[in-house]
Amino acid sequence: MAETVLSFVLRQLSTFLHEEGRLLGGLRQEVQFIKDELGHMRAFLREAEAKEEDAQPRLQEWIKQVREAAYDTEDILDEFVARFARHPATGFYGSVRRIFSSIKNLRARHRVASEIQSIKSRIKSISEAHQRYQSEYGISAQASDSLSAVNNTTWRYSRDDALLVEEAKLVRIEQPKKHLISQLLQGDDYQLKVVSVVGMGGLGKTTLVKKVHEDLEVRRHFPVRAWVTVSQTCDFQYLLKDLIRQLHKEGKKPVPQSIESSNTTELKEIIKDFLQQAGRYAIVFDDVWDVEFWNTIKFALPESSHGNRVMLTTRKADVASASCIESRGFVYRMEPLSVEDSRTLFCNKIFNGGTCPGHLMGVAKGILDKCEGLPLAILAISGLLASKDVNRIDEWEMVRRSLGGELEGTGKLDRVKKILSLSYGDLPWHLKTCLLYTSIFPEDYEIECARLVNLWIAERFVEWREGMSIEDVAWGYLGELVNRSLIQVTKVFYEGLPDICRIHDLLREVIVLKSREQNLVTISTGQPTMWPSEKVRRLIVHSSSSNNTQHHQQRRGYCFDHLRSFITVGSTNSLLYKTLLSEVLGSNKLLKVLDLAGKETQEEISNEIFKMFHLKYLNLYGTRLERVPKAIGKLQHLEYLNLGKTGVRELPMEILKLQKLRFLKVYQQVDPDDKYGFHGFKAPSNMGGLLALEILGYIDASSGSIIIKEIGKLTQLRELRITKLRREDGKELCSSLANLTSLRELNVDSIGKDDDHEIIDLNHHHPSLSSSSCSFLQSLRMLILCGRLEKMPQWVAHLHSLVRIDLDWSRLRGEEDPLESLQHLPNLVNINFCGSYQGEGLCFKTGGFLMLKRLHLKRMEGLRWMRVEEGALPRLETLFLQQLPLLEELPLGIQHLSHLQRLILAEMSSQLREKLLENQKDESEDYRKIAHIPEILIGYYTDDRKWRHRSLWAKKKKT
């Protein structure tokens, strides 16, 4: 990862020379030299790191030296900027201070010059070693700069090993095997069809496809077959030659001698000619890593009229989908084994199909929990445990506790590490850094995607791209890691926007090992563990039950002078946290990231924080802060300020000095037990001066139209949340919204709560609505209106990008059916209505809501009936009906919802609940209407607001 660090620092140096180079004077040439030399080494370093595990200690030490030199260069330049880039003082006292400061600055500049010269000497020495190692290790600059970062002679993912798992040891393979075989045998015989199997490394994709490929029925149906292993480092010409040899062997024909001298185009022609004459064929491309491979190989595969088939295995979702688009193919997403199947595989390996002894059940569960259904890991760990004495529970416990260490060593689990590391190794340097950074979160931690993305931005891991906001680029990084099966999204905020994600436990172990090797982050729990010997750069505080004495034993001898980030995650030991924070703030002036989210003991912002010239990210979410000092204006590089769920109700005028501020949230829920309604903050009257703002919430609009007008000046806004909007300011708000062409999320609350909400009046004609190409809020993806509406705003029907809409306490009268405005929106996926409609019935008409997947209707006390016409809601997956006391029948036409996966009935009328439970016994007409729905829950909330439910289909599932 030294190459990753180097790439990061090189980008920082480029930015520094461009933006702050004028401060350097005569030192600029020296810094440029350092940048150039580090740049020359980067290409070699990429391949040297690929050899690092097998390399001699001298090469490992050289890699470490490069990394440290890059870090030290960044430190010196940050200190330089912090000292010399301050705004000059004015007036008489300012003149005195400048004279005094200039004397000190001469000394400081001399010291900086000396340090830069020292770094330059180190870089020269390292560069000389670089020249020696190039010849010694046989790595040319040209070779190391190629896309093949890993030499084929080094360890390569052995696909043969993946095929050696005996079928007897596999569990639940028959069903997916039959499913894939049916996909191969069915379909259009006049078109090439592609079947792709996608999932993270170690799930058994190769094993499954091999069983399909060798099935007797498949062999009979496809007389010409071939298996091609692609992998990361394939030689494309070698691959084509291998395919030619296999095909000719299958066809019992001699291999053309000309292939040895043929180029890529000629080889593809040979394959195409053979397949056109050969009849029906089935080819497997195993372990495909990029879309470009498919785009190249597909031209060698003729369509013909024989019903030809191709199967792909890949870790990347985009590869799977791209290969299937043109062929109307099929993508099979491989999922981890269930808990029951994991246990079966585990016992098959260790106890020859028998059961696990009772005294080992607890530790076995802990081990299987770590594997999270990954067959490769279960088999590898089972092999390790098979050699242990089953009567020695302590030996099993040792394996469970030391799984991370086992991955670090060599042996049975080393292969698991290497397979999981392949996906990491395939990443570009910026995504490697982002993935390693996830090691700041503890095991099984639910990671908030927005927090992770904003931390990446603050740490400067995200590279600006022409025509894109930095946030869009960062979310793109997250999407790429999800696409590569390295991050798992567990909850979405709305379609297309991940909310919560996590890392597979064993993959996290690999990430933690690599992060520790590179000194990317240092994690403190208060336990007496070893910290890295290098300077601590990012300090993460996790949950702890240790005392302060242990903490001092742990960190004695380490300094925080060069710390860049201080982050607390989860519930942390209060004494440890306070002690570390005090030491960090007292000794460090280079801090860029300070994240104290959830620390209820934090009641004020320390004055030391305002001395952090480089601070870009300040997260005080969930603290007991009630006031923001005027000194906040000193943090002129601040980009992110989160004061959500604090007691802050007003911001000082000095906030307007933060011209780089991109993210600002200040709010508190009105009622912690009720998600509806927020207290916002009183903003300065000229809030529109913060022109860089992209995310703003919740701004208190009760002071009148002045602040509403100011909002219209914030043309970069992507998310806007307004609370306590007055009815008379609705027209002004519509006028301001017309300027916000980049707005994607809009949340508007009126004054009041539940039935006492004041009317939101947004039904104003706007000039942009007059043209056929309406531009008003055309980027809006989410709209939340909390308050009474006399009418649905007319512009809602024109929001063609809208994905989610929430209407809370709208109380629309019966003649103002909200469905009329929404039914033809082309991208609407999610509807949440709470107290939105006072009519007796709702009708979903034929051809309406073609993309809707989730519908939640709540607290509509007058609703007596619902009707779904055939052809309406064709993609609905979840229907959630809650607190509809007069609805005594299931929606008419519910049987038309063929894609419905979940029906949830919460706190409904006792008559409807009893009817459903009773009808389950005799399979009445009502029962038959909903028999196609896989999951039906009848739920309620207990007195302490905990959700409880029973499944209507419990008996059916069991049988």
Side-chain angles (χ1 to χ4, degrees):
M1 207 231 53
E3 186 255 337
T4 305
V5 172
L6 196 59
S7 295
F8 170 71
V9 172
L10 280 169
R11 200 178 80 218
Q12 298 295 84
L13 283 172
S14 295
T15 303
F16 177 86
L17 287 167
H18 176 69
E19 296 180 359
E20 308 287 356
R22 58 183 176 75
L23 298 172
L24 286 168
L27 296 176
R28 182 187 178 98
Q29 190 174 354
E30 312 294 338
V31 175
Q32 185 68 51
F33 172 85
I34 293 171
K35 176 181 175 293
D36 292 344
E37 285 300 306
L38 290 175
H40 293 323
M41 279 184 261
R42 178 170 54 175
F44 169 78
L45 191 60
R46 184 178 301 141
E47 189 151 342
E49 283 195 299
K51 297 170 175 274
E52 185 176 12
E53 289 185 12
D54 304 317
Q56 296 177 5
R58 284 192 304 127
L59 181 57
Q60 293 176 339
E61 180 59 29
W62 180 83
I63 292 172
K64 180 181 175 182
Q65 287 175 7
V66 174
R67 184 181 70 233
E68 288 309 302
Y71 273 145
D72 289 346
T73 302
E74 183 191 15
D75 286 347
I76 292 169
L77 296 179
D78 275 352
E79 287 179 7
F80 180 85
V81 172
R83 181 176 292 274
F84 296 108
R86 307 268 184 181
H87 290 293
T90 58
F92 172 75
Y93 290 106
S95 300
V96 174
R97 284 171 56 193
R98 282 200 302 274
I99 292 170
F100 180 68
S101 177
S102 65
I103 297 171
K104 291 200 302 182
N105 285 348
L106 284 173
R107 296 174 186 161
R109 188 176 285 273
H110 179 74
R111 183 173 63 81
V112 169
S114 176
E115 290 176 344
I116 288 177
Q117 287 294 340
S118 175
I119 286 284
K120 182 179 177 182
S121 298
R122 282 168 60 188
I123 295 292
K124 279 184 176 179
S125 176
I126 293 170
S127 183
E128 289 168 3
H130 160 224
Q131 304 299 327
R132 292 198 305 273
Y133 291 140
Q134 270 191 326
S135 56
E136 185 174 337
Y137 286 91
I139 306 171
S140 68
Q142 289 78 15
S144 62
D145 205 21
S146 71
L147 291 175
S148 178
V150 184
N151 194 312
N152 274 329
T153 59
T154 63
W155 185 89
R156 182 170 170 264
Y157 182 19
S158 173
R159 308 305 298 168
D160 294 335
D161 288 349
L163 306 177
L164 295 178
V165 182
E166 298 89 354
E167 191 160 5
K169 291 178 182 173
L170 300 174
V171 293
R172 298 294 170 98
I173 197 172
E174 281 305 316
Q175 185 175 352
K177 176 183 169 184
K178 288 178 181 177
H179 189 41
L180 290 178
I181 289 174
S182 71
Q183 288 292 333
L184 289 179
L185 303 184
Q186 296 172 7
D188 187 355
D189 274 352
Y190 296 95
Q191 186 178 24
L192 175 67
K193 181 178 181 180
V194 180
V195 175
S196 292
V197 180
V198 62
M200 73 177 291
L203 278 178
K205 302 183 294 295
T206 299
T207 305
L208 171 61
V209 171
K210 188 67 173 178
K211 297 302 177 187
V212 171
H213 188 63
E214 302 208 335
D215 181 81
L216 286 176
E217 190 175 4
V218 172
R219 292 167 71 95
R220 283 196 297 269
H221 198 79
F222 299 100
V224 177
R225 298 176 312 113
W227 181 286
V228 179
T229 297
V230 182
S231 294
Q232 280 176 299
T233 57
C234 70
D235 179 318
F236 194 64
Q237 282 204 3
Y238 174 84
L239 182 148
L240 293 174
K241 292 173 186 176
D242 179 43
L243 178 55
I244 290 169
R245 293 187 187 100
Q246 287 190 55
L247 292 174
H248 282 76
K249 182 179 178 182
E250 285 276 307
K252 297 182 173 56
K253 293 184 178 181
V255 178
Q257 295 295 317
S258 61
I259 66 171
E260 298 305 328
S261 57
S262 298
N263 60 31
T264 300
T265 302
E266 291 166 342
L267 292 171
K268 286 194 286 187
E269 284 295 332
I270 293 171
I271 294 170
K272 191 168 187 175
D273 290 343
F274 180 90
L275 292 175
Q276 282 176 330
Q277 301 172 29
R280 186 180 286 123
Y281 67 81
I283 299 174
V284 174
F285 294 108
D286 183 38
D287 198 27
V288 179
W289 283 82
D290 58 68
V291 173
E292 193 54 39
F293 170 81
W294 172 251
N295 289 336
T296 304
I297 196 68
K298 68 182 180 182
F299 295 109
L301 307 173
E303 291 279 346
S304 76
S305 59
H306 303 294
N308 301 318
R309 300 291 184 259
V310 167
M311 293 190 77
L312 283 172
T313 71
T314 180
R315 303 184 186 197
K316 297 183 179 181
D318 62 340
V319 173
S321 58
S323 60
C324 293
I325 289 173
E326 295 176 13
S327 68
R328 298 178 187 173
F330 174 74
V331 176
Y332 180 77
R333 178 165 286 281
M334 198 125 181
E335 300 293 343
L337 297 177
S338 66
V339 173
E340 181 181 345
D341 291 341
S342 296
R343 192 184 310 115
T344 301
L345 182 60
F346 185 76
C347 292
N348 284 350
K349 176 76 173 179
I350 302 177
F351 307 112
N352 295 317
T355 57
C356 180
H359 67 282
L360 293 176
M361 291 287 279
V363 64
K365 181 181 182 302
I367 290 169
L368 286 174
D369 286 348
K370 197 85 168 177
C371 294
E372 294 190 61
L374 199 65
L376 175 73
I378 295 170
L379 289 170
I381 294 173
S382 301
L384 182 66
L385 291 169
S387 62
K388 305 294 181 185
D389 187 341
V390 295
N391 296 313
R392 293 283 304 277
I393 190 172
D394 58 316
E395 291 189 1
W396 280 52
E397 278 285 0
M398 189 176 296
V399 171
R400 182 184 67 81
R401 288 194 305 268
S402 62
L403 272 177
E406 294 283 354
L407 284 171
E408 197 168 1
T410 56
K412 293 184 181 296
L413 292 187
D414 190 48
R415 181 167 170 262
V416 177
K417 175 188 172 184
K418 287 178 176 177
I419 288 175
L420 294 176
S421 295
L422 271 181
S423 293
Y424 167 81
D426 183 57
L427 294 171
W429 72 265
H430 59 280
L431 290 184
K432 284 182 180 177
T433 314
C434 291
L435 183 64
L436 291 190
Y437 193 75
T438 62
S439 62
I440 72 174
F441 299 103
E443 185 178 335
D444 296 325
Y445 191 81
E446 290 194 333
I447 305 169
E448 295 175 59
C449 297
R451 184 184 187 185
L452 177 61
V453 161
N454 280 296
L455 281 168
W456 284 345
I457 294 171
E459 297 278 9
R460 288 298 182 264
F461 297 158
V462 182
E463 192 169 2
W464 180 82
R465 292 180 189 170
E466 185 72 36
M468 295 181 69
S469 75
I470 197 75
E471 243 203 5
D472 280 341
V473 178
W475 282 103
Y477 286 8
L478 179 66
E480 183 62 23
L481 291 170
V482 171
N483 171 59
R484 291 168 179 259
S485 305
L486 291 168
I487 288 181
Q488 304 165 355
V489 175
T490 58
K491 182 181 176 184
V492 294
F493 187 50
Y494 58 78
E495 194 80 1
L497 185 67
D499 186 20
I500 303 294
C501 65
R502 65 183 303 276
I503 309 292
H504 189 285
D505 277 357
L506 287 180
L507 178 59
R508 181 184 174 275
E509 294 289 355
V510 172
I511 290 169
V512 168
L513 289 175
K514 292 184 179 295
S515 176
R516 188 185 304 148
E517 288 169 5
Q518 304 305 326
N519 190 26
L520 184 71
V521 300
T522 300
I523 296 173
S524 172
T525 62
Q527 302 297 329
T529 54
M530 290 297 293
W531 283 13
S533 58
E534 299 96 337
K535 302 162 188 171
V536 177
R537 303 188 68 81
R538 295 178 181 88
L539 180 59
I540 319 299
V541 185
H542 282 185
S543 57
S544 164
S545 58
S546 65
N547 58 45
N548 198 42
T549 304
Q550 288 176 320
H551 154 63
H552 277 293
Q553 288 174 347
Q554 169 186 278
R555 66 156 300 275
R556 188 181 300 141
Y558 301 108
C559 72
F560 299 131
D561 292 352
H562 300 275
L563 196 71
R564 289 302 193 281
S565 306
F566 182 84
I567 301 171
T568 59
V569 180
S571 175
T572 57
N573 178 284
S574 178
L575 186 57
L576 171 68
Y577 149 70
K578 283 187 173 181
T579 303
L580 286 173
L581 180 61
S582 175
E583 294 180 14
V584 166
L585 297 182
S587 62
N588 183 279
K589 296 295 178 288
L590 300 179
L591 207 67
K592 293 184 178 180
V593 173
L594 182 59
D595 190 328
L596 308 179
K599 297 288 124 344
E600 293 187 356
T601 55
Q602 191 72 34
E603 297 180 351
E604 61 181 20
I605 305 179
S606 167
N607 287 329
E608 295 297 323
I609 291 176
F610 302 122
K611 299 176 183 177
M612 304 293 173
F613 178 77
H614 289 288
L615 196 66
K616 299 179 183 300
Y617 177 105
L618 180 57
N619 188 357
L620 297 169
Y621 174 91
T623 62
R624 293 188 179 180
L625 190 70
E626 294 190 353
R627 187 182 68 88
V628 175
K630 293 181 179 181
I632 191 75
K634 294 180 180 179
L635 302 177
Q636 294 179 23
H637 287 277
L638 198 66
E639 298 177 4
Y640 178 102
L641 178 59
N642 192 340
L643 300 171
K645 289 196 175 181
T646 65
V648 175
R649 295 286 175 273
E650 189 170 356
L651 293 181
M653 288 289 293
E654 284 70 17
I655 199 77
L656 301 174
K657 295 181 180 179
L658 308 184
Q659 287 297 302
K660 294 184 178 181
L661 198 62
R662 182 183 52 81
F663 180 110
L664 176 61
K665 280 192 177 180
V666 189
Y667 66 88
Q668 188 175 50
Q669 284 178 284
V670 173
D671 182 354
D673 295 326
D674 191 343
K675 70 176 183 177
Y676 305 103
F678 295 89
H679 293 299
F681 71 98
K682 299 275 189 181
S685 57
N686 47 351
M687 188 72 180
L690 292 176
L691 297 178
L693 271 182
E694 295 181 7
I695 296 172
L696 175 61
Y698 283 75
I699 190 163
D700 188 326
S702 62
S703 57
S705 60
I706 293 177
I707 198 65
I708 301 297
K709 287 181 180 177
E710 290 293 302
I711 288 172
K713 299 175 183 178
L714 303 175
T715 56
Q716 300 302 310
L717 279 182
R718 297 152 52 86
E719 296 180 24
L720 172 62
R721 288 169 169 78
I722 299 173
T723 187
K724 297 187 179 179
L725 179 73
R726 304 183 307 172
R727 179 175 186 172
E728 58 265 35
D729 294 326
K731 185 175 182 180
E732 191 67 59
L733 178 59
C734 285
S735 180
S736 287
L737 291 176
N739 298 327
L740 309 184
T741 55
S742 298
L743 198 66
R744 298 186 184 180
E745 297 180 16
L746 174 63
N747 185 324
V748 180
D749 274 9
S750 67
I751 294 175
K753 186 175 185 291
D754 296 356
D755 289 331
D756 296 327
H757 271 293
E758 185 168 328
I759 289 174
I760 297 176
D761 180 16
L762 298 179
N763 195 35
H764 291 280
H765 180 80
H766 191 272
S768 64
L769 292 173
S770 302
S771 64
S772 57
S773 57
C774 169
S775 60
F776 186 72
L777 295 180
Q778 282 306 289
S779 295
L780 201 68
R781 293 174 57 81
M782 184 181 81
L783 175 63
I784 299 177
L785 299 178
C786 188
R788 293 177 61 198
L789 294 173
E790 286 184 330
K791 290 185 175 182
M792 280 284 283
Q794 60 178 353
W795 43 263
V796 171
H798 300 273
L799 301 178
H800 297 300
S801 297
L802 199 67
V803 175
R804 169 181 167 178
I805 184 169
D806 292 14
L807 297 180
D808 301 326
W809 315 116
S810 305
R811 301 295 183 192
L812 287 165
R813 296 186 298 275
E815 61 271 21
E816 283 293 326
D817 184 349
L819 302 183
E820 289 294 328
S821 301
L822 305 176
Q823 61 180 333
H824 297 303
L825 291 178
N827 292 296
L828 192 60
V829 172
N830 195 327
I831 289 178
N832 298 289
F833 287 169
C834 176
S836 307
Y837 183 58
Q838 299 184 96
E840 291 189 356
L842 286 173
C843 178
F844 295 87
K845 298 178 182 178
T846 300
F849 300 100
L850 296 181
M851 301 299 292
L852 201 71
K853 293 184 180 179
R854 188 179 189 277
L855 175 62
H856 186 179
L857 304 179
K858 178 181 178 182
R859 296 179 73 166
M860 292 195 241
E861 287 81 2
L863 197 67
R864 294 179 177 274
W865 58 268
M866 289 177 59
R867 183 167 70 248
V868 180
E869 295 182 356
E870 190 168 2
L873 301 166
R875 300 194 183 192
L876 194 69
E877 296 175 358
T878 300
L879 176 58
F880 194 162
L881 305 179
Q882 184 177 0
Q883 290 178 283
L884 309 178
L886 298 184
L887 190 68
E888 297 179 353
E889 301 285 343
L890 286 170
L892 299 172
I894 194 171
Q895 67 272 18
H896 301 318
L897 303 178
S898 58
H899 283 79
L900 196 62
Q901 300 296 308
R902 299 185 82 205
L903 173 61
I904 306 169
L905 304 169
E907 302 175 282
M908 301 294 285
S909 70
S910 56
Q911 182 176 337
L912 177 58
R913 184 171 64 250
E914 289 168 8
K915 180 188 292 187
L916 287 173
L917 294 174
E918 189 66 27
N919 285 344
Q920 186 183 9
K921 300 175 184 176
D922 58 17
E923 298 199 9
S924 66
E925 183 180 352
D926 277 341
Y927 179 93
R928 287 193 294 274
K929 287 179 181 177
I930 57 177
H932 66 287
I933 305 173
E935 183 177 18
I936 299 181
L937 301 177
I938 298 179
Y940 58 93
Y941 284 99
T942 60
D943 291 339
D944 58 355
R945 302 303 295 163
K946 289 185 178 177
W947 172 252
R948 296 284 184 269
H949 68 266
R950 61 178 295 184
S951 173
L952 190 64
W953 288 158
K955 183 178 178 181
K956 180 181 177 183
K957 285 184 177 180
K958 188 174 180 181
T959 57

